[in-house]
Amino acid sequence: MTETESKWDEKLKRFFKDYYWNEILQLANEYPDQRSLGVDFTDIEKYDRELSKEFLEHPGELIQAAEAALKEIDLPVEKSLEQAHVRIIKIPNRISIRELRSKHLSRFVAIEGMIRKATEVRPRITKAAFQCLRCGHLTVVEQNSFKFEEPFAGCENDTCGKKGPFKVMIEDSTFIDAQKLQIQESPENLKGGSQPQSLEVDSEDDLTGNVTPGDRVIINGVLKSRQRTLKDGKSTFYDLVIEANSIEHLDKDYDELEITAEDEEQILELSRDPVIYDKIVGSIAPSIYGYEDIKEALALQLFSGVVKNLPDGSRIRGDIHVMLVGDPGIAKSQLLRYVVKLSPRGVFTSGRSASASGLTAAAVKDDLNDGRWTIEGGALVMADMGIAAVDEMDKMKTEDKSALHEAMEQQTISIAKAGIIATLKSRCALLGAANPKYGRFDRYEGLAEQINMPPALLSRFDLIFVLLDTPNHALDSRIANHIIQSHYAGELFEQRQKLPGSQITEEHVEAEMEVIEPVIEAEIMRKYVAYARKNVYPVMESDARSHLINFYTGLRKTGESKDTPVPVTARQLEALVRLSEASARVRLSNIITLEDAERTVKIVMNCLKNVGIDPDTGALDADILASGTSMSQRNKIKNLKDIIKKLSERHPGKEGAPLEEVYTEAESKHGIDRIHAEEYIKKMKQGGDLLSPDQNHIRLVN
């Protein structure tokens, strides 16, 4: 026993008996399956302030002393806690990664962040037994964390004394499970433009295998340094690493947002306001004029529906996916950025610069250790339990878009690469923005034809909004006034801040800023959303259930006849339920009322009228989103196939049907003009249904 251990031994034993006797008995009963005693740092402070100070300043020695004291405690059961650990949680010394300095070395610190990488759990040798191959004598050498050491002084057998060769005897050596992690700053805590900083973490024994990339955690441990090694020697610079003593999970309850008693009182007071919906809509991007229906939908996305874990093991997502499609220059990107700012956990990325692995997850060569493969979480993993905003989704590569299917519906991300088969969580809502292929949106064309995105992906969005930039004198005047007012207020603020002799008063700035200030401040709004998602789990009233059922079945009834399209699918009904739950959460109510159901029906119908209507017939058609082809288009394609078949029989030979005759007959018999006929034929060629032997003929693939 060292001098430090003996100094604190009796005090630590008394502390364990006074504060943790029941927990020690439970540990003894479950040992060795359970090997750790969790100790709250506040209990140490209550017991002895000097002892708590020693733990922060000399953690290595004090943790060793605590574990030695734990082993020496007399137990009423015949068990020895030889390999038991003392895990200390709720360390007050919480420091962000970018604020770590040399003064923190060898101190007990708490680092909050998100796990970015995690290596496999592998055994690390702690005592190596070397056998001398000359005389067979065993020499046991303690191994430190970083370097494997052989007994270079020579064999301990006096009659031998040679320096080798030696062989490591695995069965006589001692191993411990070890895992390397990388923790980085959470995206929502970053200031604009700054790159998230990361820190390596060494975890051992029962701390291993408990976290995956994307998990929000607090790592409590001792900050250490390691010297960098260069090709031509050792560097004077050292890398920081934290040797983990305990890991606290923040996943479920937004613990990183501290909601005080005053905050809670303010949140509850807001929820009782009869115009709370208008206030929340007014707090989303107030610098952008209008778009009340879209802002209302984004508010519901922030609050989210309720996740259901059913008895059969299946899970129904509660997150609401929203897509904004429209003309350039109508503030889609600003809306995305503002929602990410309001979300308790949010990540913003652009489809143009993001790859599939950057969005979902990747298996990469491990730069933490010795070149092994590790899993690295992408944007959707980092936004777990929050919102992932992806701008310019139409610019993504095809293979990258297909990676989103599983993340959106099952809310998991599967990795199968380099021998690693793993599933990560991506329980986030997706907020996407896309521009039409040809610059501006054509309301007389289907959505799938105008956006460079697969219909199967589009159908997974609960709400799709089309934002059109159409000239309207009255509306344009209001928008222009709002934009000029925003700039004017910004100019006043900047001049007052930057010019010492400015005549502009603070009252003047505040008066002009009023028009663009949110009704509810961003910080309290974030806490309001986190509080609602953490504490409110609404249940639907019978009136609300009946309203949703009647709306859904009423729409479906219009598609019963043979010649009418299917107007909506069960996906739209599930979207209605999620939106109704979010609507109740907005006012912190545990009951979903008829008013909530009516509000969500109105939002969904606005979306369906924009994106789910067949431009040829004016009828609601679910296939427009699900397959990209409406019923009327399918009928026209069928008619074109019949024409090509008949003309091919009329012109026997390898060439097939003459294209000009196909166009003429399509227009005269079925009213399909040449432009649309060419488009349908192009679509059939891409689908592999047609072949062109030359430029003037076409034939069906048998």
Side-chain angles (χ1 to χ4, degrees), residues 387-620:
I387 290 179
V390 184
D391 200 6
E392 298 191 24
M393 282 190 77
D394 52 306
K395 309 290 192 302
M396 289 165 62
K397 295 174 189 166
T398 309
E399 61 270 21
D400 300 350
K401 289 173 195 163
S402 63
L404 293 177
H405 286 232
E406 181 195 356
M408 287 182 73
E409 202 57 52
Q410 279 72 45
Q411 297 202 295
T412 56
I413 289 164
S414 300
I415 289 274
K417 183 179 176 182
I420 296 174
I421 297 174
T423 302
L424 304 179
K425 293 170 185 167
S426 64
R427 299 159 298 181
C428 64
L430 187 66
L431 173 57
N435 293 318
K437 279 183 196 174
Y438 306 112
R440 288 197 171 265
F441 194 84
D442 183 353
R443 66 177 72 202
Y444 303 109
E445 285 286 335
L447 178 72
E449 293 157 12
Q450 296 190 63
I451 304 177
N452 188 21
M453 286 180 71
L457 189 60
L458 283 175
S459 70
R460 280 169 165 77
F461 285 95
D462 298 291
L463 297 171
I464 299 177
F465 287 97
V466 174
L467 292 80
L468 299 174
D469 183 16
T470 49
N472 176 316
H473 182 69
L475 182 63
D476 289 345
S477 299
R478 291 198 294 273
I479 291 171
N481 280 328
H482 188 83
I483 290 170
I484 297 298
Q485 176 67 33
S486 303
H487 280 270
Y488 178 59
E491 288 162 358
L492 291 175
F493 179 77
E494 288 299 318
Q495 190 181 107
R496 178 172 163 73
Q497 291 284 102
K498 304 286 167 62
L499 291 183
S502 173
Q503 301 298 307
I504 297 162
T505 64
E506 194 173 338
E507 291 74 24
H508 188 191
V509 174
E510 283 178 6
E512 295 297 337
M513 278 279 188
E514 198 173 326
V515 70
I516 54 167
E517 278 192 344
V519 187
I520 304 168
E521 286 181 20
E523 190 56 35
I524 195 69
M525 179 79 165
R526 284 181 77 210
K527 290 179 178 179
Y528 190 103
V529 172
Y531 184 87
R533 292 183 67 152
K534 181 177 173 180
N535 297 299
V536 182
Y537 294 91
V539 175
M540 202 175 287
E541 275 186 339
S542 57
D543 287 355
R545 288 205 305 270
S546 301
H547 185 73
L548 295 185
I549 290 167
N550 292 338
F551 169 74
Y552 176 69
T553 53
L555 276 181
R556 292 278 294 181
K557 200 167 187 182
T558 63
E560 283 182 354
S561 71
K562 191 177 82 170
D563 300 324
T564 54
V566 175
V568 287
T569 65
R571 268 191 174 152
Q572 278 77 42
L573 181 59
E574 287 196 330
L576 283 165
V577 173
R578 282 190 278 270
L579 289 161
S580 301
E581 291 164 353
S583 177
R585 273 181 162 176
V586 169
R587 58 177 196 281
L588 303 186
S589 170
N590 281 311
I591 297 167
I592 300 163
T593 61
L594 179 61
E595 188 188 346
D596 294 315
E598 287 171 343
R599 178 181 285 109
T600 55
V601 162
K602 185 183 73 152
I603 293 170
V604 168
M605 272 310 291
N606 282 344
C607 286
L608 287 174
K609 282 175 187 171
N610 278 323
V611 299
I613 285 183
D614 184 346
D616 293 341
T617 63
L620 278 174

Side-chain angles (χ1 to χ4, degrees), residues 269-428:
E269 191 180 329
L270 275 170
S271 71
R272 290 189 284 269
D273 193 322
V275 289
I276 182 62
Y277 287 97
D278 296 335
K279 282 192 169 182
I280 282 175
V281 168
S283 303
I284 294 176
S287 59
I288 299 167
Y289 183 82
Y291 299 139
E292 273 74 21
D293 54 339
I294 293 170
K295 288 180 181 179
E296 187 175 4
L298 294 177
L300 296 182
Q301 185 185 35
L302 277 169
F303 284 87
S304 170
V306 178
V307 179
K308 290 100 179 172
N309 294 296
L310 303 182
D312 65 352
S314 57
R315 179 182 181 276
I316 301 173
R317 70 175 164 94
D319 292 302
I320 298 160
H321 301 314
V322 180
M323 175 71 133
L324 307 179
V325 179
D327 302 334
I330 49 175
K332 294 190 298 295
S333 300
Q334 274 181 277
L335 280 170
L336 262 64
R337 286 188 183 276
Y338 208 94
V339 169
V340 165
K341 178 180 157 189
L342 291 179
S343 173
R345 291 175 185 165
V347 173
F348 179 90
T349 184
S350 172
R352 186 188 287 275
S353 58
S355 64
S357 55
L359 275 173
T360 55
V364 294
K365 270 289 181 77
D366 171 24
D367 56 1
L368 299 178
N369 199 10
D370 49 11
R372 288 183 297 183
W373 287 88
T374 59
I375 298 172
E376 188 174 307
L380 295 182
V381 175
M382 291 178 184
D384 189 37
M385 303 292 283
I387 290 179
V390 184
D391 200 6
E392 298 191 24
M393 282 190 77
D394 52 306
K395 309 290 192 302
M396 289 165 62
K397 295 174 189 166
T398 309
E399 61 270 21
D400 300 350
K401 289 173 195 163
S402 63
L404 293 177
H405 286 232
E406 181 195 356
M408 287 182 73
E409 202 57 52
Q410 279 72 45
Q411 297 202 295
T412 56
I413 289 164
S414 300
I415 289 274
K417 183 179 176 182
I420 296 174
I421 297 174
T423 302
L424 304 179
K425 293 170 185 167
S426 64
R427 299 159 298 181
C428 64

Side-chain angles (χ1 to χ4, degrees), residues 162-349:
K162 303 290 183 184
K163 290 189 178 179
F166 294 101
K167 177 186 176 185
V168 180
M169 302 300 289
I170 300 296
E171 60 274 16
D172 297 311
S173 301
T174 308
F175 291 87
I176 193 169
D177 287 330
Q179 184 181 31
K180 283 183 177 289
L181 310 170
Q182 191 174 68
I183 186 173
Q184 76 170 37
E185 295 168 296
S186 298
E188 61 272 11
N189 295 336
L190 292 176
K191 295 185 174 106
S194 59
Q195 184 180 341
Q197 293 195 12
S198 57
L199 179 70
E200 285 184 33
V201 181
D202 279 343
S203 63
E204 290 184 346
D205 205 11
D206 55 344
L207 289 183
T208 59
N210 294 328
V211 293
T212 53
D215 286 356
R216 258 96 169 163
V217 295
I218 294 172
I219 307 274
N220 301 300
V222 186
L223 191 68
K224 300 277 188 180
S225 62
R226 287 187 195 157
Q227 193 170 13
R228 291 183 186 175
T229 305
L230 305 174
K231 286 180 183 176
D232 52 351
K234 291 187 175 180
S235 168
T236 55
F237 282 93
Y238 281 71
D239 290 316
L240 295 175
V241 62
I242 185 166
E243 290 184 2
N245 172 261
S246 66
I247 299 176
E248 298 174 58
H249 284 260
L250 298 175
D251 259 331
K252 293 177 181 142
D253 299 327
Y254 301 105
D255 292 338
E256 66 268 30
L257 272 180
E258 190 182 342
I259 299 174
T260 62
E262 291 80 20
D263 290 335
E264 188 172 355
E265 196 177 317
Q266 192 179 348
I267 287 165
L268 294 171
E269 191 180 329
L270 275 170
S271 71
R272 290 189 284 269
D273 193 322
V275 289
I276 182 62
Y277 287 97
D278 296 335
K279 282 192 169 182
I280 282 175
V281 168
S283 303
I284 294 176
S287 59
I288 299 167
Y289 183 82
Y291 299 139
E292 273 74 21
D293 54 339
I294 293 170
K295 288 180 181 179
E296 187 175 4
L298 294 177
L300 296 182
Q301 185 185 35
L302 277 169
F303 284 87
S304 170
V306 178
V307 179
K308 290 100 179 172
N309 294 296
L310 303 182
D312 65 352
S314 57
R315 179 182 181 276
I316 301 173
R317 70 175 164 94
D319 292 302
I320 298 160
H321 301 314
V322 180
M323 175 71 133
L324 307 179
V325 179
D327 302 334
I330 49 175
K332 294 190 298 295
S333 300
Q334 274 181 277
L335 280 170
L336 262 64
R337 286 188 183 276
Y338 208 94
V339 169
V340 165
K341 178 180 157 189
L342 291 179
S343 173
R345 291 175 185 165
V347 173
F348 179 90
T349 184

